[in-house]
Amino acid sequence: MAIGRPREFDLDQALENALHVFWEKGYEGASMADLTEAMGITKPSLYAAFGNKEELFRKALDSYVDGPAGYTKRALLLPTARAVVENLLYSEVDAVTDPECPAGCLSINGALTGGDAAESIKEELRVRRSQFESDLRARFERAKSEGDLPDAADATALARYIATISQGLAVQAVGGATREELKKTAEMVLMTWPPVAAA
């Protein structure tokens, strides 16, 4: 049985390079020339290894969720709702202002598109943002059941509030806001966080 010719590039490194292009330029803004140049491969090699541009973006997004944005899943595991929010927001600030990465968040930057060709990508990103909000809501409902949030707390509204702040931090970072400036925003959110229900 013949052995296929080995790939002449590192798949993981190529995907990471593509991730950074999408992160910086968005889905539509990233041309195939941008991607192949950053990945150090030819267009046929890209298609053979990753499929088309849309499939490459989805793979890059999965890599982003498990890598640079992995703090979101870790934050949800913390023991109190306040700890979840505090860790989430400060981790978000650190991530969207990381000097080693493009400013902002891939799920926000990638959605800043206008053409019909990107509709499926915009929908994918919308679904993922909605899932993040749903995960927050479920975590806040659990906090209510544990007495960690007041019975009167609106878990749905709180989840929307924190998701909106989180996304806003990313947008502000793209606009040039500094890490210190965004940390002050996170501090303001925590100052108004709902009190723990009295025992």
Side-chain angles (χ1 to χ4, degrees):
M1 180 175 174
I3 297 175
R5 184 175 162 197
R7 286 197 176 95
E8 297 175 358
F9 62 94
D10 182 321
L11 275 174
D12 291 336
Q13 186 61 55
L15 183 59
E16 182 177 341
N17 293 347
L19 161 59
H20 279 254
V21 173
F22 284 127
W23 195 344
E24 183 175 358
K25 296 176 177 278
Y27 176 74
E28 278 193 330
S31 69
M32 289 300 286
D34 292 331
L35 292 164
T36 54
E37 180 180 352
M39 297 166 79
I41 62 176
T42 63
K43 193 181 289 188
S45 292
L46 185 154
Y47 287 131
F50 299 102
N52 60 25
K53 180 182 175 184
E54 184 173 327
E55 290 169 353
L56 174 61
F57 181 83
R58 291 178 194 278
K59 288 181 173 76
L61 186 57
D62 287 338
S63 178
Y64 176 78
V65 168
D66 292 335
Y71 62 87
T72 57
K73 292 177 182 175
R74 293 190 295 273
L76 291 168
L77 300 175
L78 293 173
T80 66
R82 182 185 170 86
V84 168
V85 172
E86 182 173 4
N87 186 276
L88 178 67
L89 294 182
Y90 283 124
S91 295
E92 175 89 14
V93 168
D94 287 344
V96 299
T97 59
D98 184 346
E100 298 297 315
C101 298
C105 165
L106 176 62
S107 66
I108 301 296
N109 296 2
L112 301 178
T113 56
D116 293 339
E119 275 307 313
S120 65
I121 292 299
K122 286 192 284 189
E123 176 62 15
E124 169 81 12
L125 293 169
R126 187 197 67 74
V127 167
R128 291 192 186 224
R129 289 193 303 272
S130 178
Q131 182 60 55
F132 168 60
E133 194 173 311
S134 295
D135 291 343
L136 278 175
R137 182 173 63 249
R139 182 63 187 83
F140 294 153
E141 289 287 4
R142 189 183 116 199
K144 286 176 64 175
S145 72
E146 295 172 346
D148 181 42
L149 282 175
D151 288 339
D154 185 332
T156 299
L158 277 176
R160 174 66 55 88
Y161 170 55
I162 296 303
T164 300
I165 294 294
S166 175
Q167 293 162 21
L169 291 171
V171 172
Q172 289 287 318
V174 172
T178 67
R179 181 169 290 186
E180 287 309 308
E181 288 169 339
L182 296 180
K183 281 185 176 178
K184 288 180 181 177
T185 301
E187 287 169 10
M188 291 186 71
V189 172
L190 293 167
M191 285 171 60
T192 62
W193 184 248
V196 175

